[in-house]
Amino acid sequence: MNSQKSWILCCFFNFLIACFFGLLMRFMYLFPLDFLNYSFLLHAHSHVAMLGWVYLIIYVLIVHFFIPKEKSQKPIYNRLFWLTEFSVIGMMIAFPIQGYALFSIVFSTLHILLSYVFCRLVWKDCSKDKSPSQRLLFVSILFMILSTCGVWCLGPAVSTLGKQSAFYQIAIQFFLHFQFNGWFILAILALFLKQFKNKIDEVKFKKFYFLMVISTLLTVCFPVRWFVENDILSYINCLGVLIQLGAFIYFYKMLKSQISTFRSSLDKTTKLVYDLALASLFLKVGIQLLTIFPNLAEVSHQIRNFVIGFIHLTTLGIITGFLFGILLQNKMLSSNSSALKIGVKIFILGYILTEVLLFLQGLFFFFGGGSISGYFQSILIFSILLVLGLTLMMVSIIKLKFDNLEKATD
């Protein structure tokens, strides 16, 4: 358990660095820094957020909830975690300096190879109970492996057709789609289902599971359509989005009878983050439904504010919301700490304000209204709240770790 506390602290450190890179990018819109390259910083921000925060904290929680205790204590899990963190620190340093180049590619490739080792370990060591949460976890792992096919296509794409080619762009979108909608979201939902003590309705789960897998496979057509002019891709995406709506209707029905009991066992802060995660999840489903309309599908990737808003809705709202909820519910974060409670609330406020501003600016552009007055100053200030909230959470985690060390030495 001690090693897991160190792991959690390390994940929050990565998250704080990723948020700091994001803050720096917003600072550069107002005050350009000649010694920093914006696009290099963007690569650093996205890689550290995805692979240093989301991937690694999911790693910690899978080991905690799905691997039997005697197996999770094996040294391989600890070594693998720190080797993966080494690859993240490599990206943290290499990307801001050189962007996509030799060292950053070496470290990101290392991360993928280590993720394969993790998949193999989970597949081998996971308790064979065939529960709904475990089946969801296994399919999320298959999607993670599938997503990396996109990465392995990047080399051939660059050497044969170049970085501007449709093949190269589709390979990136293939990776991102299955990482976020396959691996991350389904792993998060598997961990969430694991928190329900009563048996989950098997019939409703099977329908949710089947529809969710089908919709994840079909909706990859949406980003592919940006680079390939073919209406069939739009129709397939429409079908995928409608199937996804059906999946989440069954998700709601499946948990409906247990929700009130589940909520009654939670403290206020945990309830707040779970509510945020579920609201963000249903908002994401709603936004994806809008892509059924061709003109909205077109602007969804042309207006950058919509793109960033949607990515942050998924990473900060859904994924991080569920992660915070699970960590708080299981006392892996100290819900009694006032620094932590304040930190969580400041973080949520920063998230909501930046999202509202991003989508509002996107709507202004969509209706030809131009730039909102003081937009860059406002979004910079709101982004400071994210960093401040995370800093307070980290202070709380470090304090708890030292308090436990003192108790152990007394």
Side-chain angles (χ1 to χ4, degrees), residues 77-98:
Y77 284 103
N78 197 41
R79 284 190 206 126
L80 185 61
F81 179 90
W82 292 112
L83 266 173
T84 309
E85 174 59 12
F86 169 73
S87 73
V88 171
I89 289 172
M91 288 184 264
M92 216 180 265
I93 296 165
F95 273 113
I97 295 168
Q98 57 170 202

Side-chain angles (χ1 to χ4, degrees), residues 41-173:
L41 207 54
L42 175 61
H43 291 317
H45 167 70
S46 56
H47 279 78
V48 177
M50 273 176 66
L51 307 176
W53 162 242
V54 179
Y55 173 91
L56 275 178
I57 196 75
I58 290 176
Y59 177 113
V60 175
L61 294 173
I62 288 173
V63 171
H64 183 80
F65 288 107
F66 285 98
I67 309 296
K69 198 160 186 187
E70 66 280 3
K71 289 179 178 174
S72 70
Q73 303 292 336
K74 291 194 294 192
I76 180 71
Y77 284 103
N78 197 41
R79 284 190 206 126
L80 185 61
F81 179 90
W82 292 112
L83 266 173
T84 309
E85 174 59 12
F86 169 73
S87 73
V88 171
I89 289 172
M91 288 184 264
M92 216 180 265
I93 296 165
F95 273 113
I97 295 168
Q98 57 170 202
Y100 266 109
L102 177 63
F103 289 108
S104 55
I105 290 169
V106 166
F107 286 118
S108 40
T109 306
L110 174 63
H111 194 290
I112 291 173
L113 298 175
L114 292 169
S115 74
Y116 290 164
V117 177
F118 180 59
C119 292
R120 177 79 187 94
L121 280 170
V122 173
W123 212 264
K124 189 162 63 73
D125 289 345
C126 210
S127 57
K128 303 290 182 280
D129 63 1
K130 294 285 185 287
S131 63
S133 57
Q134 194 193 63
R135 275 177 281 167
L136 211 49
L137 176 72
F138 280 172
V139 80
S140 77
I141 282 171
L142 290 174
F143 275 128
M144 187 236 273
I145 295 164
L146 175 66
S147 76
T148 60
C149 296
V151 178
W152 301 127
C153 288
L154 292 177
V158 172
S159 56
T160 55
L161 300 163
K163 278 193 178 183
Q164 302 311 313
S165 66
F167 179 33
Y168 179 82
Q169 298 299 331
I170 289 167
I172 289 174
Q173 294 305 326

Side-chain angles (χ1 to χ4, degrees), residues 15 19 95 141 165 182 184 196 206 249 251 323 359 365 403:
F15 194 13
C19 274
F95 273 113
I141 282 171
S165 66
F184 289 158
F196 286 81
K206 277 183 179 170
I249 289 168
F251 178 76
L323 289 168
F359 280 107
F365 286 144
D403 288 349

Side-chain angles (χ1 to χ4, degrees), residues 65 191-197 261-263 265-267 269-271 273-274 322-335:
F65 288 107
L191 288 160
F192 182 56
L193 290 188
K194 195 76 173 171
Q195 310 311 310
F196 286 81
K197 301 295 175 258
T261 320
F262 177 75
R263 280 177 63 84
S265 65
L266 306 174
D267 61 55
T269 313
T270 313
K271 262 185 210 161
V273 289
Y274 271 141
F322 276 117
L323 289 168
F324 281 2
I326 293 162
L327 289 165
L328 285 162
Q329 186 186 348
N330 293 280
K331 308 287 182 274
M332 295 164 92
L333 293 176
S334 173
S335 54

